[in-house]
Amino acid sequence: MTAAPLPPGARRRARSLLLTSGLAIALAVVAIPFYWLAVGATHSSAELFASPPPLLPGGHLTENLRSLQDSAQFGRVLLNSLLIATVYTVCAGAVCTLAGYGFAVYRFRGREALFGLLMLGLVVPAQVTLVPLFRMMADLGWLGTYQAVVLPNLALPFGVFLMRQSMATLPASLLDSGRLDGCGELRLFLRVALPPMRPALAALAIFLFLYQWNDFVWPLVVLRDGASFTLPVALASLQGLDETDYGAILAGTSVAALPMAAVFLALQRHFVSGLLAGAVKE
């Protein structure tokens, strides 16, 4: 005998239960490393390697933060990272937005070839450019300075691509109306083109901030003084050959994750719509 088919309401509830269970499992898989990071920040290195490992918060958070400050000038490098990431996000956002607007709105000879050349930067490994960029910074006398960290990657290919795709959705009639009303090109860009691009700008800001905040190799190459290090470089310097204070490293990593979470939470409602901007044209 064949089993009677489930009624439509029961099938919907079964699908909903299956989907909820799958999402709960995925959430647990994603959340467990963050929970362990937060718990590990409150334990000493000896406790972290105990068997079984601790699963509840301990009482060494203050001690770990103090050790972090003494060994890596944590307060200073945290401010360094905030300053560099903020300045980079603003400057790179302006460059990528202007470049994307130019590629999307203006028609000029060689536009497609130039854009294709720019997109080649997406497939070129960053390590390939380390030596020429280092030589360039050395010739300019910028080694050990913040501008050497910020300036080389202002025209990020992905940022230009994102803004070009978003700007391409602007109706030409809207821009033509602005020109007929007497708007100059700069005012047209600021008053007409930018306001509809807020979701894309929010997505770009998140991407640029996280890109610079997590960058490790390039700041390691060009920064010389420990007081000018960024967070990833300073945390990596705590890994010694003989002894490593893993409790302090986990405490620093936990604090380093807070600005990233704050930026994402502040702009999350624009993030998905910004990434999808330009994906579908009417």
Side-chain angles (χ1 to χ4, degrees):
M1 296 179 61
T2 59
L6 293 174
R11 287 200 298 268
R12 285 195 298 270
R13 287 193 294 271
R15 285 196 298 266
S16 177
L17 179 61
L18 183 62
L19 178 60
T20 302
S21 301
L23 290 175
I25 294 173
L27 177 61
V29 171
V30 173
I32 286 174
F34 290 97
Y35 176 76
W36 171 246
L37 177 65
V39 169
T42 64
H43 289 276
S44 64
S45 294
E47 293 173 344
L48 290 174
F49 288 96
S51 182
L55 299 178
L56 296 176
H60 289 80
L61 178 60
T62 303
E63 180 182 339
N64 289 337
L65 291 176
R66 187 180 301 112
S67 174
L68 196 62
Q69 175 63 28
D70 294 340
S71 57
Q73 304 181 62
F74 185 70
R76 174 66 182 269
V77 299
L78 179 61
L79 291 177
N80 291 343
S81 286
L82 285 173
L83 174 64
I84 292 174
T86 302
V87 171
Y88 175 79
T89 300
V90 174
C91 295
V95 171
C96 293
T97 303
L98 286 167
Y101 178 77
F103 279 118
V105 172
Y106 297 112
R107 303 291 184 267
F108 53 89
R109 181 176 299 178
R111 185 185 66 156
E112 297 301 327
L114 184 60
F115 184 72
L117 184 63
L118 179 66
M119 289 301 99
L120 285 178
L122 291 173
V123 299
V124 176
Q127 292 79 4
V128 174
T129 63
L130 282 180
V131 173
L133 280 178
F134 180 84
R135 290 291 303 272
M136 187 183 298
M137 296 301 108
D139 292 341
L140 292 172
W142 285 359
L143 291 181
T145 64
Y146 293 150
Q147 60 262 34
V149 180
V150 171
L151 293 180
N153 293 312
L154 288 184
L156 203 63
F158 177 77
V160 177
F161 173 77
L162 175 64
M163 296 311 299
R164 188 254 193 184
Q165 294 301 103
S166 300
M167 294 288 185
T169 62
L170 286 172
S173 58
L174 180 64
L175 300 176
D176 291 339
S177 298
R179 293 188 179 99
L180 289 175
D181 289 338
C183 284
E185 291 301 316
L186 180 59
R187 186 179 179 188
L188 189 71
F189 171 73
L190 296 175
R191 299 292 182 88
V192 178
L194 275 190
M197 295 296 108
R198 288 174 184 170
L201 289 171
L204 179 66
I206 292 174
F207 177 80
L208 293 176
F209 187 88
L210 297 186
Y211 172 84
Q212 184 60 61
W213 184 265
N214 292 323
D215 193 16
F216 170 71
V217 175
W218 182 241
L220 176 66
V221 169
V222 296
L223 295 178
R224 298 296 189 223
D225 183 15
S228 65
F229 281 171
T230 58
L231 268 176
V233 178
L235 291 177
S237 68
L238 296 178
Q239 299 183 21
L241 296 177
D242 299 326
E243 183 178 356
T244 300
D245 190 348
Y246 289 101
I249 292 177
L250 290 177
T253 307
S254 300
V255 175
L258 295 179
M260 294 188 293
V263 170
F264 182 79
L265 291 175
L267 302 174
Q268 64 172 335
R269 67 189 184 96
H270 298 299
F271 184 63
V272 176
S273 58
L275 287 180
L276 294 178
V280 177
K281 294 184 180 180
E282 297 182 357

